[in-house]
């Protein structure tokens, strides 16, 4: 096991007697193993000889098949007879078998065990190993029965009776359907055709005589039975994808030859071969012009003929344009002209097909304006450091509970008529459920910092009308930035979200944005706002209500915003007017006022702008301070005023007069006291 030779580490390796002292062990064990993945249409490659044919076709190097020669001394008329009857010719068009007597059951040779183990098959005994070895070598499934356990020494290929049962080689009882094909003796089923044999006729250490089965079963029949029983074997996989009906006798003789050599068996000269039809090779027309047109090549007749010869296809050329190709029966994947054209491309080499500049003419239809606006919104949100998220439009009742308490009634929820599952039975009325699920999934995987957005549709009903709107949702939780040694980590807060939205609105040229506190039940009562453009509400933002977080078993704060893109699209400025930089210096003043927390700072700023003259260029919050001395419901706010005259240098007296007038008006309106 340590050398990688096998999984057996029970003791030392015991070499066979013919191994000489001083032999190179690497020559006996150091094989190269290729792990080849096949698509279902490549059934002809599910064997050593299949892979060899492919390599020969690609490289042009000829190959040779293993010689199948039965020893005359061990082949004679046998006293053991067998009678075969096929009741369902459609599911079993061909059934062949042969008796091998006086076998010696034992271990298979070391070289065979080594190859089977490397191929993922556990060695059992020489008889079972030989059938598996030929399966891997030639690609055709075979099965060995203990001849002496067959009642009546007969084989009956029939479909199962309703409720019929049998115990398969994996020691499990299988209940069969009437359409399942069985291999039976005179009294009972002994194998499930093309899938697995039965325990009653298993080859054991006491077995002396064998019946070797080599048959061709309908791929559809084997597939249905295998799927119904949930029993997928190496044999069933090959029959499902299409075995070669003309290889039945070749594989049977190969097994018998190895039984002669490795089990001292005596092969009966009589071969039972029940064949209900002749399996003709398919003839497929293939046009040279069509081949070159589809592939974009200029292949000549000689080049295509060489490819067909390498693939072992026989063909007739009409001298003009048409090949009539005769395809071997092991190529079950070829049926029409395009299949042959694909073979030509494959063997010729895709890398050898010239690449041309594509002729492309884009649509003359312009993109819809809302689509272009959505794309611009995505670019703005990405530039803010957010990652785009995509969630499903379909949600379930458990997710709609997230919307309980919102302004949307249950009647407004749109239900799917024929949902695939309960959790995809409703159309989302908001982006919140999907984005919350993203956060929950990330938190469950120890990723507690999420900064993302989604641009998508929501769906709801107003009266008898169904509506669909384009929305942008932003969700933030965790740390505001990645860990850095020079900067202390900080939790994301309400103003991070608000700042992102203000930057996006500014970039989209949407003026007159304001934030007003509303009573939104899904959001924290003290950390929420509605977004207005003038008098039109275009969205909401805030911290998700703690009750909702507890319901989702999330222990950290989450901030969410959602905006209506249809409304924002109509409100954006068509043109941007550039303004000249000021030529004259300005003058700034600070004002610190004590404000009750019940008064919104935005209202104070609006009042300042209302009473100001054009001399006031800007006013903004410079600082905010709270402590116990101010009182529980009070805070100090410092505002910075910037005054500028665009025509001349502003006079100090004019600034003082204007500043005093504004402070007097605002203080009188709100009863504000100015701290010393």
């Amino acid at each position: 096991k340590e050398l990688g030779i096998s999984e057996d580490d029970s003791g030392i390796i015991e070499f066979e007697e013919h191994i000489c002292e001083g032999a190179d062990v690497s020559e006996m064990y150091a094989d190269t193993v290729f792990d080849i993945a096949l698509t279902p249409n490549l059934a002809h490659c599910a064997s050593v000889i299949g892979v060899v044919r492919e390599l020969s076709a690609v490289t042009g190097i000829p190959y040779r098949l293993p010689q199948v020669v039965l020893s005359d001394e061990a082949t004679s008329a046998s006293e053991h007879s067998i009678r075969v009857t096929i009741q369902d010719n459609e599911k079993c068009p061909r059934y062949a078998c042969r008796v091998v007597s006086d076998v010696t059951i034992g271990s298979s040779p070391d070289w065979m065990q080594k190859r089977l183990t490397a191929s993922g098959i556990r060695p059992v005994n020489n008889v079972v190993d030989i059938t598996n070895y030929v399966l891997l070598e030639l690609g055709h499934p075979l099965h060995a029965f203990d001849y002496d356990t067959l009642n009546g020494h007969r084989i009956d290929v029939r479909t199962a009776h309703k409720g019929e049962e049998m115990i398969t080689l994996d020691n499990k009882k299988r209940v069969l359907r009437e359409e399942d094909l069985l291999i039976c003796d005179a009294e009972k089923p002994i194998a499930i055709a093309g899938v697995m044999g039965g325990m009653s006729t298993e080859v054991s250490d006491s077995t002396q005589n064998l019946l070797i089965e080599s048959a061709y079963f309908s791929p559809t029949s084997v597939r249905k039975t295998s799927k119904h029983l949930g029993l997928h074997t190496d044999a069933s996989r090959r029959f499902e994808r299409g075995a070669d009906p003309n290889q039945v006798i070749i594989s049977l003789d190969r097994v018998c030859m190895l039984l002669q050599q490795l089990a001292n068996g005596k092969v009966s000269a009589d071969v039972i071969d029940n064949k209900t039809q002749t399996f003709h090779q398919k003839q497929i027309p293939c046009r040279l012009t069509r081949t070159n047109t589809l592939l974009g090549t200029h292949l000549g007749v000689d080049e295509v003929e060489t490819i067909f010869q390498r693939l072992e296809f026989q063909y007739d050329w009409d001298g003009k344009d048409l090949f009539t190709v005769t395809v071997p029966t092991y190529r079950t994947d070829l049926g029409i002209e395009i299949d042959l054209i694909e073979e030509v491309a494959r063997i010729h080499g895709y890398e050898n097909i010239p690449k041309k500049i594509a002729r492309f003419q884009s649509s003359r239809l312009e993109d819809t304006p809302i689509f272009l606006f959505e794309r611009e919104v995505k670019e703005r949100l990405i530039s803010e450091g957010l990652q785009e998220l995509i969630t499903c439009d379909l949600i379930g009742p458990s997710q709609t509970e997230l919307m309980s308490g919102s302004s949307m009634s249950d009647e407004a929820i749109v239900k799917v008529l024929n949902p695939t599952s309960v959790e995809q039975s409703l159309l989302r009325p908001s982006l919140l459920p999907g984005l919350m699920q993203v956060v929950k999934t990330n938190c469950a995987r120890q990723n507690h910092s999420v900064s993302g957005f989604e641009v998508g549709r929501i769906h709801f009903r107003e009266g008898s009308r169904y509506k669909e709107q384009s929305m942008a949702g932003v969700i933030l939780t965790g740390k505001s930035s990645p860990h850095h040694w020079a900067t202390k980590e900080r939790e994301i807060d309400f103003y991070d979200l608000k700042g992102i939205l203000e930057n996006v609105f500014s970039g989209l040229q949407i003026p007159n944005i304001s934030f007003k506190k509303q009573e939104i039940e899904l959001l924290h009562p003290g950390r929420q706002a509605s977004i207005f453009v003038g008098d039109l509400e275009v969205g909401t933002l805030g911290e998700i209500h703690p009750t909702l977080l507890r319901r989702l078993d999330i222990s950290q704060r989450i901030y969410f915003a959602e905006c209506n893109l249809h409304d924002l699209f109509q409100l954006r400025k068509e043109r941007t007017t550039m303004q000249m930089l000021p030529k004259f210096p300005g003058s700034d003043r600070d004002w610190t006022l004590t404000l009750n927390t019940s008064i919104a700072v935005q209202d104070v700023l609006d009042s300042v702008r209302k009473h100001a003259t054009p001399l006031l260029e800007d006013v903004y919050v410079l600082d905010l301070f709270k402590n116990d001395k101010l009182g529980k419901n009070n805070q100090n706010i410092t505002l910075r005023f910037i005054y500028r005259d665009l025509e001349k240098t502003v006079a100090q007296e004019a600034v003082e007069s204007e500043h005093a007038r504004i402070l007097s008006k605002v203080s009188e309106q709100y009863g504000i006291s100015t701290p010393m």
Side-chain angles (χ1 to χ4, degrees):
K1 185 175 182 179
E2 293 170 347
L3 294 173
I5 294 173
S6 75
E7 292 299 313
D8 183 14
D9 57 356
S10 58
I12 65 173
I13 299 174
E14 295 183 3
F15 295 107
E16 296 183 4
E17 293 182 359
H18 68 273
I19 303 297
C20 300
E21 183 178 351
D24 189 349
V25 178
S26 65
E27 294 181 359
M28 295 183 285
Y29 289 99
D31 275 351
T32 300
V33 179
F34 294 94
D35 189 359
I36 301 174
L38 299 176
T39 52
N41 64 309
L42 296 177
H44 63 285
C45 292
S47 62
V48 174
I49 188 60
V51 175
V52 166
R53 288 191 184 111
E54 285 294 302
L55 293 174
S56 176
V58 173
T59 63
I61 301 173
Y63 68 92
R64 55 185 176 84
L65 292 171
Q67 292 185 349
V68 181
V69 179
L70 293 172
S71 172
D72 295 335
E73 297 177 359
T75 305
S76 60
S78 175
E79 60 183 16
H80 302 95
S81 62
I82 192 74
R83 186 161 59 91
V84 176
T85 304
I86 301 176
Q87 295 187 19
D88 194 324
N89 295 327
E90 183 178 346
K91 293 181 178 179
C92 180
R94 187 174 191 180
Y95 190 94
C97 60
R98 202 168 193 175
V99 175
V100 181
S101 57
D102 299 332
V103 295
T104 302
I105 304 297
S107 298
S108 56
D110 188 66
W111 60 267
M112 180 175 285
Q113 292 190 40
K114 178 167 60 73
R115 292 184 179 181
L116 291 174
T117 302
S119 301
I121 296 179
R122 179 179 60 86
V124 179
N125 56 49
N126 51 357
V127 173
V128 176
D129 292 352
I130 287 170
T131 59
N132 287 330
Y133 187 83
V134 175
L135 168 69
L136 296 176
E137 185 181 57
L138 301 181
H140 196 88
L142 301 106
H143 187 69
F145 298 102
D146 187 331
Y147 174 84
D148 297 317
T149 62
L150 299 177
N151 292 311
H153 292 160
R154 60 175 291 181
I155 292 293
D156 189 8
V157 184
R158 62 170 175 83
T159 52
H161 304 308
K162 186 176 182 180
E164 192 168 9
E165 299 177 350
M166 71 167 290
I167 298 176
T168 48
L169 285 171
D170 56 1
N171 203 22
K172 292 183 180 180
K173 182 185 289 186
R174 307 289 179 177
V175 180
L176 304 163
R177 304 173 302 173
E178 292 179 332
E179 59 185 287
D180 296 331
L181 189 67
L182 299 178
I183 310 299
C184 307
D185 61 14
E187 297 181 359
K188 63 185 182 302
I190 58 174
I192 303 173
V195 181
M196 184 178 282
M199 286 286 290
S200 61
T201 57
E202 181 184 18
V203 175
S204 64
D205 293 341
S206 60
T207 299
Q208 294 181 342
N209 303 305
L210 301 170
L211 177 69
I212 308 300
E213 168 194 277
S214 181
Y216 175 75
F217 301 111
S218 163
T220 304
S221 172
V222 175
R223 186 182 303 115
K224 289 181 178 179
T225 300
S226 176
K227 185 176 181 180
H228 162 65
L229 296 174
L231 186 59
H232 303 283
T233 62
D234 289 333
S236 69
R237 291 187 185 94
R238 284 165 172 80
F239 278 125
E240 286 175 15
R241 289 157 175 75
D244 182 3
N246 287 326
Q247 195 176 300
V248 168
I249 299 300
I250 297 173
S251 300
L252 180 61
D253 289 345
R254 175 65 171 161
V255 168
C256 291
M257 185 189 84
L258 292 174
L259 287 172
Q260 281 184 343
Q261 297 174 355
L262 306 178
N264 300 318
K266 296 179 180 179
V267 180
S268 171
D270 299 324
V271 179
I272 306 296
D273 185 11
N274 281 15
K275 189 164 53 171
T276 60
Q277 65 182 74
T278 302
F279 301 97
H280 297 288
Q281 295 178 332
K282 288 178 287 188
Q283 289 189 332
I284 305 172
C286 181
R287 293 164 289 175
L288 180 61
T289 53
R290 182 64 174 165
T291 301
N292 283 321
T293 299
L294 285 180
L295 301 182
T297 55
H298 300 282
L299 298 175
V301 177
D302 293 341
E303 293 174 288
V304 176
E305 284 181 338
T306 301
I307 291 174
F308 288 157
Q309 290 169 3
R310 286 187 176 187
L311 291 167
E312 299 181 328
F313 297 168
Q314 297 178 2
Y315 58 88
D316 288 323
W317 167 247
D318 69 350
K320 297 179 181 178
D321 186 42
L322 183 65
F323 287 99
T324 302
V325 183
T326 303
V327 178
T329 51
Y330 61 79
R331 291 303 302 268
T332 57
D333 58 319
L334 306 180
I336 56 178
E337 182 182 34
I338 193 65
D339 296 332
L340 293 178
I341 295 174
E342 182 182 1
E343 291 296 295
V344 172
R346 193 166 60 86
I347 303 303
H348 176 66
Y350 294 114
E351 70 280 2
N352 295 322
I353 297 177
K355 295 181 180 179
K356 297 181 180 179
I357 299 175
R359 295 179 180 177
F360 174 76
Q361 182 177 0
S362 62
S363 173
R364 296 181 180 178
L365 295 176
E366 297 181 355
D367 292 322
T368 58
I370 188 63
F371 168 77
L372 297 175
F373 183 66
E374 288 175 359
R375 188 164 63 183
E376 184 179 356
V377 170
K378 289 181 181 180
E379 293 173 353
R380 296 284 178 185
L381 290 168
I382 291 173
S383 69
E384 292 297 319
L386 304 181
Q387 180 179 357
E388 184 174 6
L389 308 173
I390 300 176
T391 62
C392 185
D393 283 32
L394 297 172
I395 60 175
S398 60
Q399 290 176 290
T400 56
E401 291 179 3
L402 296 176
M403 303 300 298
S404 60
S406 67
S407 59
M408 187 167 291
S409 63
D410 293 339
E411 290 76 15
I413 304 295
V414 180
K415 299 179 180 179
V416 179
L417 291 179
N418 298 301
T420 56
S421 67
V422 176
E423 291 307 314
Q424 291 188 332
S425 59
L426 306 171
L427 288 172
R428 62 183 179 188
S430 168
L431 301 179
L432 177 61
L435 293 178
M436 288 292 288
Q437 189 61 42
V438 170
V439 173
K440 180 175 174 64
T441 301
N442 276 270
C443 288
R445 287 157 177 78
Q446 307 303 314
N447 180 25
H448 296 284
S449 295
V450 177
S451 299
F453 75 92
E454 180 175 13
V455 173
R457 304 286 194 273
I458 65 169
H459 315 267
F460 58 92
R461 183 168 60 182
E462 280 187 358
S464 59
R465 299 183 62 187
Y466 292 90
K467 291 195 173 184
E468 178 182 271
Q469 289 185 342
S470 181
M471 306 291 287
V474 178
I475 196 155
L476 304 177
T477 187
K479 305 297 182 182
S480 61
S481 60
H483 174 77
H484 190 269
W485 60 270
T487 307
K488 187 176 180 181
E489 289 186 338
R490 178 179 64 82
E491 295 288 336
I492 284 174
D493 60 22
F494 175 86
Y495 297 101
D496 289 313
L497 179 60
K498 181 171 178 286
I500 288 173
L501 295 179
E502 287 175 332
N503 290 342
V504 171
F505 290 146
S506 175
L508 295 174
Q509 299 297 317
I510 298 175
N512 303 324
I513 294 291
S514 61
F515 300 86
K516 298 179 182 179
K517 184 178 179 181
Q518 302 278 44
E519 298 298 328
I520 306 170
E521 296 186 22
L522 291 174
L523 302 178
H524 191 291
R527 303 185 188 97
Q528 61 166 266
S530 292
I531 308 169
F532 285 83
V533 178
D535 295 329
L536 178 64
E537 183 178 359
V538 296
T540 58
L541 78 156
E543 181 184 329
I544 300 298
H545 201 287
T547 303
L548 181 56
L549 296 180
R550 285 194 295 270
R551 196 185 311 163
L552 290 171
D553 195 25
I554 298 176
S555 58
Q556 61 189 60
R557 293 180 177 180
I558 299 176
Y559 296 90
F560 173 73
E562 190 170 40
C563 300
N564 189 320
L565 296 186
H566 281 94
D567 290 339
L568 293 177
F569 173 70
Q570 297 174 7
L571 294 169
R572 68 181 309 194
K573 284 184 177 181
E574 292 291 334
R575 296 180 180 178
T576 301
T577 303
M578 305 301 294
Q579 295 182 348
M580 293 182 61
L581 293 174
K583 298 179 179 179
F584 301 99
S587 179
D588 56 83
R589 299 289 187 274
D590 292 345
W591 180 32
T592 300
L593 60 151
T594 302
L595 196 66
N596 191 280
T597 53
S598 63
I599 301 175
V601 178
Q602 183 64 48
D603 292 341
V604 177
L605 293 173
D606 291 341
S607 178
V608 169
R609 295 187 178 99
K610 177 182 176 182
H611 294 100
T613 65
L615 193 63
L616 179 65
E617 183 180 75
D618 194 14
V619 58
Y620 56 87
V621 177
L622 183 66
D623 194 14
L624 188 148
F625 176 74
K626 292 182 180 180
N627 67 7
D628 296 336
K629 293 182 180 180
L630 294 174
K632 181 179 180 181
N633 297 322
N634 291 330
Q635 59 184 345
N636 276 0
I637 298 171
T638 300
L639 302 180
R640 172 153 292 179
F641 297 74
I642 299 177
Y643 297 94
R644 192 187 308 273
D645 191 332
L646 298 179
E647 302 296 332
K648 61 182 184 298
T649 301
V650 63
Q652 186 78 2
E653 296 78 8
V655 172
E656 293 293 345
S657 174
E658 176 67 8
H659 188 62
R661 188 184 66 81
I662 294 175
L663 266 58
S664 175
K665 293 286 186 180
V666 175
S667 299
E668 181 181 347
Q669 179 178 351
Y670 289 100
I672 297 172
S673 59
T674 303
M676 299 300 294

